[in-house]
Amino acid sequence: MSTPPSLLGAERTDGSSVQIGALVPLTRPGWVGAGRHLLAGLELAVRDVNDSGGIGGRPLELLVRDTAADPHRAAAAVDELAQLGVAALAGEYHSVVARAAAARADALGLPFLCSSAVLDALTEHPTQWVARLAPAQSHGWRIYADFLLGAGHSRIAVAAEPSVYWASGARILRDHLAPRGGTVVELDVRALTPTDVCDELVADRATALLLLVGHPEPAVSIVRSVRRDQRLAEIMIGAPAGQPEFPEWASSLGDDGAAIPFLRYLPERLGPLGARVEAALRERLPEAPSFVAFEGYDTVTVLADLLRSHGVDRARTAELWPRVAVEGTRGQIRFSRTPGISVWQWAWPPVQVVDRDPAEPGRFRTLHARGSQSGGG
C-alpha cells in the first residue's frame, strides 16, 4: 500500500521516532477534500508537538495510509501499521471505513482515536481501544432535526442511497421527528431520476429535502434539478452530512450550492489556540480550514498528551482515555462512556448548523448552534 508524500519527511525505521498511523481518504472514491483537511490538521499538530520537544525528546512521526473510502483497504492498513509498531492510530473521515478500522484496532489491541467518523455503532461491542472526537451521529442529527422543526419544516423527504451511514441517519431523523409531529419520506435514488425526485417532492408536499447521497453524483444532479423546478421554489434543500463545507461543493454547484444547511463541529468563536491553529492551517490549505482540519489537529494533540505523560505502551494508552483532559482547538476534550456508544466519546464537541450565504457563497452563516464553547488557549 502506497504512502503519500508527507510534509514530515520520509519514514524512519530505526526506532528514533514515536510513530502514529494516520488513516486518511486521499483518493477517489473517498471524499478527497475532507482527507486533505484532515491530513493538514494532523500534520500541523505533529509539527507543533515536535517544535515543543516531541515525545520525551523523540520526534513524533505520522505514517500516512490512504484509505480511499475502502473498508477493506483500511483494515489492511491497520494490520500493516500495527506490525510497523505504531503507538496508536489516528484519523479517518468515512464512517463505514472507520468502523472497519476500529474493528481491526480492537482485535489487535491498538489504540485508535477516530477524528471525524460519526456512526454511533463504530464497533459492534464496547471496546477500551477506540475513542472518538466527532460527535455521534445520533447527537448531531437530532440537533439538525431540531433545526428543521424550528425553521417550520415537519414534512421532510430524504433522497437516500443504500449504506449503513445513510440508513442510520434516516432512522435518527424519523425517530426524533415523529413524536414532534414530523414525517420523513424516503426516496430511493437508485430507482428515481432527479426529475422523478422533483415529482415525488411535489406529490408528498414536502417542505424540505435532505440529501443522504454521495458527491458529486447524484447530489449535484438532484440539487440542480430541484433548483430549476418552479414547483419547488420554496423547498429547503439540506445536507446534514456536511458536503457543502468543502470547496468541491461550491465549484460543482456555484450559486445553486448556497442556502443548503449542513452540520459542522466548530464553536461560534474560536479561542486563542483555535485562532492560532486556524491561521497556520490557512497557510497549508488553498481555502479556509474546515472543521475536519481542526479535528485532525485535536486528534494528535490528545495522543501526544497521552504519550508524553504515560509512555508509548499501547495497553497503557487505552487504559487512560477516561483520564484525558486536554485543551483542544474547540474546547476542553474529555472522554466518557455515553449510552448507546461503544467507544470512548468526547461528549460533546460544539455543533452548528450552517449554510453558504446566497449573497456570498464563500461565506458561511450560522443558523443554529448547540453546545458551543470557546476553544482553549
Side-chain angles (χ1 to χ4, degrees):
M1 190 173 302
S2 62
T3 302
S6 168
L7 299 179
L8 304 171
E11 295 179 14
R12 293 186 292 272
T13 57
D14 59 3
S16 62
S17 63
V18 175
Q19 297 174 327
I20 292 174
L23 305 175
V24 188
L26 295 174
T27 55
R28 297 288 185 188
W31 188 256
V32 176
R36 286 192 299 104
H37 281 232
L38 179 56
L39 183 59
L42 292 166
E43 291 190 324
L44 176 63
V46 169
R47 187 199 72 180
D48 287 353
V49 168
N50 288 335
D51 285 349
S52 60
I55 307 298
R58 299 165 64 190
L60 185 63
E61 182 180 10
L62 285 184
L63 304 189
V64 181
R65 296 297 181 267
D66 174 17
T67 63
D70 184 336
H72 300 292
R73 185 167 174 170
V78 174
D79 288 342
E80 179 202 3
L81 290 165
Q83 292 175 358
L84 288 173
V86 297
L89 290 175
E92 195 44 52
Y93 175 78
H94 297 285
S95 281
V96 293
V97 179
R99 188 174 61 165
R104 287 305 298 154
D106 179 52
L108 296 171
L110 179 59
F112 173 30
L113 179 50
C114 182
S115 304
S116 298
V118 300
L119 193 68
D120 281 38
L122 204 56
T123 56
E124 291 187 10
H125 308 286
T127 175
Q128 67 171 343
W129 296 100
V130 183
R132 173 168 55 193
L133 285 176
Q137 188 179 19
S138 58
H139 178 72
W141 286 47
R142 285 171 188 154
I143 292 172
Y144 194 93
D146 287 339
F147 157 74
L148 292 173
L149 291 172
H153 299 289
S154 59
R155 296 185 67 85
I156 313 299
V158 297
E161 289 181 307
S163 84
V164 172
Y165 176 65
W166 298 127
S168 172
R171 184 176 62 253
I172 292 163
L173 292 168
R174 182 181 295 105
D175 290 349
H176 192 72
L177 289 169
R180 295 160 179 82
T183 60
V184 176
V185 175
E186 289 193 50
L187 307 177
D188 185 349
V189 298
R190 295 174 301 174
L192 300 172
T193 68
T195 300
D196 293 335
V197 169
C198 293
D199 292 340
E200 292 286 339
L201 294 174
V202 173
D204 294 330
R205 294 182 291 116
T207 65
L209 168 67
L210 304 187
L211 301 171
L212 276 58
V213 297
H215 177 272
E217 292 298 337
V220 169
S221 294
I222 294 173
V223 171
R224 285 178 174 157
S225 185
V226 172
R227 292 293 200 213
R228 283 155 178 71
D229 193 318
Q230 292 302 311
R231 300 173 298 171
L232 301 171
E234 301 300 320
I235 200 167
M236 188 206 83
I237 306 175
Q243 299 97 320
E245 171 85 8
F246 297 98
E248 293 93 330
W249 179 269
S251 62
S252 297
L253 283 162
D255 291 345
D256 284 344
I260 297 181
F262 62 93
L263 286 165
R264 72 173 178 179
Y265 310 125
L266 288 174
E268 294 184 80
R269 180 179 59 83
L270 291 169
L273 173 61
R276 179 182 68 77
V277 169
E278 180 184 39
L281 287 168
R282 285 181 178 273
E283 296 178 358
R284 290 176 171 246
L285 293 165
E287 63 274 333
S290 69
F291 68 87
V292 179
F294 291 94
E295 288 174 329
Y297 188 94
D298 288 341
T299 302
V300 168
T301 300
V302 169
L303 290 175
D305 182 78
L306 285 172
L307 296 172
R308 281 170 166 162
S309 302
H310 304 286
V312 297
D313 179 78
R314 292 173 177 175
R316 181 64 174 154
T317 297
E319 292 172 357
L320 292 169
W321 297 124
R323 299 189 189 180
V324 167
V326 173
E327 205 63 45
T329 59
R330 299 164 295 146
Q332 187 172 66
I333 299 168
R334 294 178 179 271
F335 297 107
S336 60
R337 288 294 189 186
T338 303
I341 309 300
S342 58
V343 301
W344 288 100
Q345 175 71 54
W346 179 18
W348 298 102
V351 177
Q352 298 175 327
V353 179
V354 304
D355 70 359
R356 290 181 176 270
D357 188 342
E360 188 182 345
R363 189 178 77 86
F364 295 107
R365 305 182 298 184
T366 301
L367 308 175
H368 185 76
R370 180 78 61 82
S372 293
Q373 52 192 303
S374 296

Coordinates of all heavy atoms in Angstrom, one line a residue, residues 20-80:
I20 N 2.8 7.4 14.8 CA 1.3 7.3 14.9 C 0.9 7.0 13.4 O 1.3 7.6 12.5 CB 0.7 8.6 15.3 CG1 1.0 8.8 16.8 CG2 -0.8 8.6 15.1 CD1 0.5 10.2 17.3
G21 N 0.1 6.0 13.3 CA -0.5 5.7 12.0 C -1.7 6.6 11.7 O -2.5 6.8 12.6
A22 N -1.8 7.1 10.5 CA -2.8 8.0 10.1 C -3.6 7.5 9.0 O -3.1 7.2 7.9 CB -2.3 9.4 9.8
L23 N -4.9 7.3 9.1 CA -5.8 6.8 8.1 C -6.6 8.0 7.5 O -7.3 8.7 8.3 CB -6.8 5.8 8.7 CG -6.2 4.6 9.4 CD1 -7.2 3.7 10.1 CD2 -5.3 3.8 8.5
V24 N -6.4 8.2 6.2 CA -7.0 9.4 5.6 C -7.5 9.0 4.2 O -6.8 8.4 3.4 CB -5.9 10.5 5.5 CG1 -6.5 11.8 5.0 CG2 -5.2 10.7 6.8
P25 N -8.7 9.5 3.8 CA -9.1 9.3 2.4 C -8.4 10.4 1.5 O -8.8 11.6 1.6 CB -10.6 9.5 2.4 CG -10.8 10.4 3.6 CD -9.7 10.2 4.6
L26 N -7.5 10.0 0.6 CA -6.8 10.9 -0.2 C -7.0 10.7 -1.7 O -6.6 11.5 -2.5 CB -5.3 10.8 0.1 CG -4.9 11.3 1.5 CD1 -3.4 11.0 1.8 CD2 -5.2 12.7 1.7
T27 N -7.7 9.6 -2.1 CA -8.1 9.4 -3.5 C -9.5 9.0 -3.6 O -10.1 8.5 -2.6 CB -7.2 8.3 -4.1 OG1 -7.2 7.1 -3.3 CG2 -5.7 8.8 -4.2
R28 N -10.1 9.1 -4.8 CA -11.5 8.7 -5.0 C -11.6 7.2 -4.9 O -10.6 6.5 -5.2 CB -11.9 9.2 -6.4 CG -11.9 10.7 -6.6 CD -13.1 11.3 -5.8 NE -13.2 12.8 -6.1 CZ -14.0 13.6 -5.5 NH1 -14.8 13.1 -4.5 NH2 -14.0 14.9 -5.7
P29 N -12.7 6.7 -4.5 CA -14.0 7.4 -4.3 C -14.1 8.1 -2.9 O -15.2 8.5 -2.5 CB -15.1 6.3 -4.4 CG -14.4 5.1 -3.9 CD -12.9 5.2 -4.4
G30 N -13.0 8.2 -2.2 CA -13.0 8.9 -0.9 C -13.3 10.4 -1.1 O -13.1 10.9 -2.2
W31 N -13.8 11.0 0.0 CA -14.0 12.5 -0.1 C -12.7 13.1 0.1 O -12.2 13.4 1.2 CB -15.0 12.9 1.0 CG -15.4 14.3 1.0 CD1 -15.0 15.3 1.8 CD2 -16.4 14.8 0.1 NE1 -15.7 16.5 1.4 CE2 -16.5 16.2 0.4 CE3 -17.2 14.3 -1.0 CZ2 -17.4 17.1 -0.3 CZ3 -18.0 15.2 -1.7 CH2 -18.1 16.5 -1.3
V32 N -12.0 13.4 -1.0 CA -10.6 13.9 -1.1 C -10.4 15.2 -0.4 O -9.4 15.4 0.3 CB -10.1 13.9 -2.5 CG1 -8.7 14.5 -2.6 CG2 -10.2 12.5 -3.1
G33 N -11.4 16.1 -0.5 CA -11.3 17.4 0.1 C -11.2 17.3 1.7 O -10.4 17.9 2.3
A34 N -12.1 16.4 2.2 CA -12.1 16.1 3.6 C -10.8 15.5 4.0 O -10.2 15.8 5.1 CB -13.2 15.2 4.0
G35 N -10.2 14.6 3.2 CA -9.0 14.0 3.5 C -7.8 14.9 3.6 O -7.0 14.9 4.4
R36 N -7.8 15.9 2.6 CA -6.7 16.9 2.6 C -6.8 17.7 3.9 O -5.7 18.0 4.5 CB -6.8 17.8 1.4 CG -6.4 17.2 0.1 CD -6.3 18.2 -1.0 NE -7.6 18.9 -1.3 CZ -7.9 20.2 -0.8 NH1 -7.0 20.9 -0.1 NH2 -9.0 20.7 -1.1
H37 N -8.0 18.1 4.3 CA -8.1 18.9 5.5 C -7.7 18.1 6.7 O -7.0 18.7 7.6 CB -9.5 19.5 5.6 CG -9.8 20.7 4.7 ND1 -10.3 21.8 5.2 CD2 -9.5 20.8 3.4 CE1 -10.4 22.7 4.1 NE2 -10.0 22.1 3.0
L38 N -8.2 16.9 6.8 CA -7.8 16.1 8.0 C -6.3 15.9 8.1 O -5.7 16.0 9.1 CB -8.5 14.7 7.8 CG -8.2 13.7 8.9 CD1 -8.6 14.2 10.3 CD2 -9.0 12.4 8.6
L39 N -5.7 15.6 6.9 CA -4.2 15.4 7.0 C -3.5 16.7 7.3 O -2.5 16.7 8.1 CB -3.7 14.9 5.6 CG -2.2 14.6 5.5 CD1 -1.8 13.6 6.5 CD2 -1.9 14.1 4.1
A40 N -4.0 17.9 6.8 CA -3.4 19.1 7.2 C -3.4 19.4 8.7 O -2.4 19.8 9.3 CB -4.1 20.3 6.4
G41 N -4.5 19.1 9.3 CA -4.6 19.2 10.8 C -3.7 18.3 11.5 O -3.0 18.7 12.5
L42 N -3.7 17.0 11.1 CA -2.8 16.0 11.7 C -1.3 16.5 11.6 O -0.6 16.4 12.6 CB -3.0 14.7 11.0 CG -4.3 13.9 11.2 CD1 -4.4 12.8 10.2 CD2 -4.4 13.4 12.6
E43 N -0.9 16.9 10.4 CA 0.5 17.2 10.2 C 0.9 18.5 10.9 O 2.0 18.6 11.5 CB 0.8 17.3 8.7 CG 0.7 16.0 8.0 CD 1.2 16.0 6.6 OE1 1.0 17.0 5.9 OE2 1.8 15.1 6.1
L44 N 0.0 19.5 11.0 CA 0.3 20.7 11.7 C 0.5 20.4 13.2 O 1.4 20.9 13.8 CB -0.8 21.7 11.5 CG -0.7 23.0 12.3 CD1 0.6 23.8 11.9 CD2 -1.9 23.9 12.2
A45 N -0.3 19.5 13.8 CA -0.2 19.2 15.2 C 1.1 18.5 15.4 O 1.8 18.7 16.5 CB -1.4 18.4 15.6
V46 N 1.5 17.6 14.5 CA 2.8 16.9 14.7 C 3.9 17.9 14.7 O 4.9 17.8 15.5 CB 2.9 15.8 13.6 CG1 4.4 15.3 13.6 CG2 2.0 14.7 13.8
R47 N 3.9 18.8 13.8 CA 4.9 19.9 13.7 C 5.0 20.6 15.0 O 6.1 20.9 15.6 CB 4.6 20.8 12.6 CG 5.8 21.8 12.4 CD 5.3 23.1 11.6 NE 4.4 23.9 12.4 CZ 3.9 25.1 11.9 NH1 4.1 25.4 10.7 NH2 3.2 25.8 12.7
D48 N 3.8 21.0 15.6 CA 3.8 21.7 16.8 C 4.3 20.9 18.0 O 5.0 21.4 18.9 CB 2.4 22.2 17.1 CG 1.9 23.4 16.2 OD1 2.8 23.9 15.4 OD2 0.8 23.8 16.3
V49 N 4.0 19.6 18.0 CA 4.5 18.7 19.1 C 6.0 18.7 19.0 O 6.7 18.7 20.0 CB 3.9 17.3 18.9 CG1 4.6 16.3 19.8 CG2 2.4 17.3 19.3
N50 N 6.5 18.5 17.8 CA 8.0 18.4 17.7 C 8.7 19.7 18.0 O 9.8 19.7 18.5 CB 8.3 17.9 16.2 CG 8.0 16.4 16.1 OD1 7.9 15.7 17.0 ND2 7.7 16.0 14.8
D51 N 8.0 20.8 17.6 CA 8.6 22.1 18.0 C 8.7 22.3 19.5 O 9.5 23.1 19.9 CB 7.8 23.2 17.3 CG 8.1 23.4 15.8 OD1 9.0 22.7 15.3 OD2 7.3 24.1 15.2
S52 N 7.9 21.6 20.2 CA 7.9 21.8 21.7 C 8.5 20.6 22.4 O 8.3 20.4 23.6 CB 6.4 22.0 22.2 OG 5.7 20.8 21.9
G53 N 9.4 19.9 21.7 CA 10.2 18.8 22.3 C 9.8 17.4 22.0 O 10.5 16.5 22.5
G54 N 8.8 17.2 21.2 CA 8.5 15.9 20.8 C 7.9 15.1 21.9 O 7.2 15.6 22.8
I55 N 8.1 13.8 21.9 CA 7.6 12.8 22.9 C 8.8 12.4 23.7 O 9.5 11.5 23.3 CB 6.9 11.6 22.3 CG1 5.8 12.1 21.3 CG2 6.3 10.7 23.4 CD1 4.7 12.9 21.9
G56 N 9.0 13.0 24.9 CA 10.2 12.7 25.7 C 11.5 12.9 25.0 O 12.4 12.1 25.1
G57 N 11.5 13.9 24.1 CA 12.7 14.1 23.4 C 12.8 13.4 22.0 O 13.7 13.7 21.2
R58 N 11.9 12.5 21.8 CA 11.9 11.8 20.5 C 10.9 12.5 19.6 O 9.8 12.9 20.0 CB 11.5 10.3 20.7 CG 12.4 9.6 21.6 CD 11.8 8.3 22.1 NE 11.6 7.3 20.9 CZ 10.9 6.2 21.1 NH1 10.4 5.9 22.2 NH2 10.7 5.4 20.0
P59 N 11.2 12.6 18.3 CA 10.2 13.2 17.4 C 9.0 12.3 17.2 O 9.1 11.1 17.2 CB 11.0 13.3 16.1 CG 12.1 12.3 16.1 CD 12.4 12.1 17.6
L60 N 7.9 13.0 17.0 CA 6.6 12.3 16.7 C 6.5 12.3 15.1 O 6.9 13.3 14.5 CB 5.4 13.1 17.2 CG 4.1 12.4 17.0 CD1 4.0 11.1 17.7 CD2 3.0 13.4 17.6
E61 N 6.1 11.2 14.6 CA 6.0 11.0 13.2 C 4.7 10.3 12.7 O 4.2 9.4 13.4 CB 7.2 10.1 12.7 CG 7.3 9.9 11.2 CD 8.5 9.0 10.9 OE1 9.1 8.4 11.8 OE2 8.8 8.8 9.7
L62 N 4.2 10.8 11.6 CA 3.0 10.2 11.0 C 3.4 9.2 10.0 O 4.2 9.5 9.1 CB 2.1 11.2 10.4 CG 1.2 12.2 11.2 CD1 0.4 13.0 10.3 CD2 0.4 11.4 12.2
L63 N 2.8 8.0 10.0 CA 2.8 7.1 8.9 C 1.4 7.1 8.2 O 0.5 6.6 8.8 CB 3.2 5.7 9.4 CG 4.4 5.5 10.2 CD1 4.7 4.0 10.4 CD2 5.6 6.1 9.5
V64 N 1.3 7.7 7.1 CA 0.0 8.0 6.5 C -0.3 6.9 5.5 O 0.5 6.5 4.7 CB 0.1 9.4 5.7 CG1 -1.3 9.7 5.1 CG2 0.5 10.5 6.6
R65 N -1.6 6.5 5.6 CA -2.1 5.5 4.7 C -3.4 6.0 4.1 O -4.3 6.5 4.8 CB -2.4 4.1 5.4 CG -1.1 3.5 5.9 CD -0.2 3.1 4.7 NE 1.1 2.5 5.2 CZ 2.2 3.1 5.4 NH1 2.3 4.5 5.3 NH2 3.3 2.4 5.8
D66 N -3.5 6.0 2.8 CA -4.7 6.4 2.1 C -5.8 5.3 2.1 O -5.5 4.2 1.5 CB -4.3 6.7 0.6 CG -5.5 7.0 -0.3 OD1 -6.6 7.3 0.3 OD2 -5.3 7.0 -1.5
T67 N -6.9 5.5 2.7 CA -8.0 4.5 2.7 C -8.9 4.5 1.5 O -9.6 3.5 1.2 CB -8.9 4.7 4.0 OG1 -9.5 6.0 3.9 CG2 -8.0 4.7 5.3
A68 N -8.9 5.7 0.8 CA -9.7 5.8 -0.4 C -11.2 5.3 -0.2 O -11.8 4.8 -1.1 CB -9.1 5.0 -1.6
A69 N -11.7 5.5 1.0 CA -13.1 5.2 1.4 C -13.4 3.7 1.2 O -14.5 3.3 1.1 CB -14.1 6.0 0.5
D70 N -12.3 2.9 1.4 CA -12.5 1.4 1.2 C -12.3 0.7 2.5 O -11.1 0.7 3.1 CB -11.4 1.0 0.2 CG -11.5 -0.5 -0.1 OD1 -12.1 -1.3 0.7 OD2 -11.1 -0.9 -1.2
P71 N -13.3 0.1 3.1 CA -13.1 -0.5 4.4 C -12.1 -1.6 4.4 O -11.3 -1.8 5.4 CB -14.5 -1.1 4.7 CG -15.5 -0.3 3.9 CD -14.7 0.1 2.6
H72 N -12.0 -2.4 3.3 CA -11.0 -3.5 3.3 C -9.6 -2.9 3.2 O -8.7 -3.5 3.9 CB -11.3 -4.4 2.1 CG -12.6 -5.0 2.1 ND1 -13.0 -6.0 3.0 CD2 -13.7 -4.8 1.3 CE1 -14.2 -6.4 2.8 NE2 -14.7 -5.7 1.7
R73 N -9.4 -1.9 2.5 CA -8.1 -1.2 2.4 C -7.7 -0.6 3.8 O -6.6 -0.7 4.2 CB -8.1 -0.1 1.4 CG -6.8 0.6 1.1 CD -6.9 1.4 -0.2 NE -5.7 2.2 -0.4 CZ -5.5 2.8 -1.5 NH1 -6.3 2.7 -2.5 NH2 -4.4 3.5 -1.7
A74 N -8.7 -0.1 4.5 CA -8.4 0.5 5.8 C -8.0 -0.6 6.8 O -7.1 -0.5 7.6 CB -9.6 1.2 6.3
A75 N -8.7 -1.7 6.8 CA -8.4 -2.8 7.7 C -7.0 -3.4 7.4 O -6.2 -3.7 8.3 CB -9.4 -4.0 7.5
A76 N -6.6 -3.5 6.1 CA -5.3 -3.9 5.8 C -4.2 -2.9 6.2 O -3.1 -3.3 6.7 CB -5.2 -4.2 4.3
A77 N -4.6 -1.6 6.2 CA -3.6 -0.6 6.6 C -3.4 -0.7 8.1 O -2.3 -0.5 8.6 CB -4.1 0.8 6.3
V78 N -4.5 -1.0 8.9 CA -4.3 -1.2 10.3 C -3.4 -2.3 10.6 O -2.5 -2.2 11.5 CB -5.7 -1.4 11.0 CG1 -5.6 -1.7 12.5 CG2 -6.6 -0.1 10.8
D79 N -3.6 -3.5 9.9 CA -2.7 -4.6 10.1 C -1.2 -4.2 9.9 O -0.3 -4.5 10.7 CB -3.1 -5.7 9.2 CG -4.4 -6.4 9.6 OD1 -4.8 -6.3 10.8 OD2 -5.0 -7.1 8.8
E80 N -1.0 -3.5 8.8 CA 0.3 -3.1 8.4 C 1.0 -2.2 9.4 O 2.1 -2.3 9.9 CB 0.3 -2.4 7.0 CG 1.7 -2.0 6.6 CD 1.7 -0.9 5.5 OE1 0.6 -0.4 5.2 OE2 2.7 -0.4 5.1

